[in-house]
């Protein structure tokens, strides 16, 4: 992970129907986000449309640990996702599970459709906040990405 305030790296996925129905109706799964201004946390989130239809529901599991090693060695961030739940993992340890039964059927519906993966390093904004320009260049190194599909 890039070290320093202002960095906002993320591994995330958006609903493949985003162009036709927009966000948050398409759904969003943040597999991991690391906020440079809060380096003691990693977060994973689900975004979906609420029952009212005009707001977002944000569900954010987080790990409040001492993450000084996030910038010095590689770690594994993963989800296991099926039609009934999404499990979050950090270095192969399950730290949060969200079940379809925890929200309405309409709120869970986006997570039953195809998504596409994004890997990015944003700077500033609501996640990164103030940027420490002395830390440039920020680097977000990815060792590998794997995708497994469960055989029926």
């Amino acid at each position: 992970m890039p070290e320093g305030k202002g960095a906002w790296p993320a591994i995330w996925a958006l609903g493949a129907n985003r162009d036709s129905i927009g966000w948050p109706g398409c759904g969003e799964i943040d597999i991991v986000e690391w906020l440079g201004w809060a380096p003691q946390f990693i977060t994973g989130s689900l975004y979906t449309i609420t029952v009212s239809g005009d707001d977002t529901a944000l569900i954010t599991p987080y790990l409040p640990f001492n993450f000084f090693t996030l910038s010095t060695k590689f770690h594994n961030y993963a989800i296991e996702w099926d039609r009934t739940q999404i499990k979050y993992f950090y270095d192969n340890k399950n730290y949060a599970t969200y079940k379809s039964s925890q929200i309405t059927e309409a709120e869970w519906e986006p997570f039953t459709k195809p998504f596409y993966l994004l890997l990015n390093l944003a700077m500033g904004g609501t996640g990164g906040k103030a940027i420490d320009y002395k830390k440039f260049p920020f680097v977000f190194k990815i060792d590998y990405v794997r995708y497994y599909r469960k055989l029926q």
Side-chain angles (χ1 to χ4, degrees):
M1 294 289 183
E3 192 175 355
K5 292 184 178 174
W8 187 6
I11 301 171
W12 55 303
L14 279 174
N17 58 353
R18 180 178 162 258
D19 288 344
S20 61
I21 69 166
W23 184 92
C26 66
E28 177 180 326
I29 302 170
D30 295 342
I31 298 165
V32 64
E33 284 186 289
W34 193 47
L35 309 175
W37 58 270
Q40 70 275 25
F41 298 103
I42 60 168
T43 65
S45 305
L46 300 180
Y47 294 84
T48 184
I49 200 143
T50 64
V51 177
S52 67
D54 60 2
D55 227 346
T56 61
L58 169 63
I59 306 167
T60 306
Y62 62 92
L63 286 174
F65 291 114
N66 185 352
F67 282 130
F68 292 113
T69 65
L70 287 183
S71 294
T72 59
K73 68 180 201 172
F74 286 106
H75 295 275
N76 292 315
Y77 308 96
I79 59 169
E80 288 182 4
W81 169 27
D82 63 34
R83 296 185 67 77
T84 64
Q85 65 184 0
I86 299 174
K87 292 181 173 183
Y88 283 83
F89 294 86
Y90 169 77
D91 285 343
N92 303 316
K93 293 182 182 112
N94 177 224
Y95 71 91
T97 300
Y98 286 103
K99 298 181 181 221
S100 59
S101 59
Q102 293 176 281
I103 56 178
T104 69
E105 189 175 322
E107 289 171 328
W108 188 261
E109 193 267 337
F111 307 111
T112 65
K113 295 187 171 20
F115 274 61
Y116 60 93
L117 186 66
L118 298 109
L119 307 154
N120 73 284
L121 171 56
M123 299 302 299
T126 57
K129 296 192 179 183
I131 300 169
D132 181 355
Y133 290 97
K134 295 176 198 155
K135 293 286 188 176
F136 274 94
F138 287 89
V139 178
F140 183 25
K141 293 181 182 178
I142 309 287
D143 188 34
Y144 63 87
V145 174
R146 291 187 183 147
Y147 169 83
Y148 297 95
R149 183 174 183 155
K150 186 176 182 179
L151 298 177
Q152 305 275 338

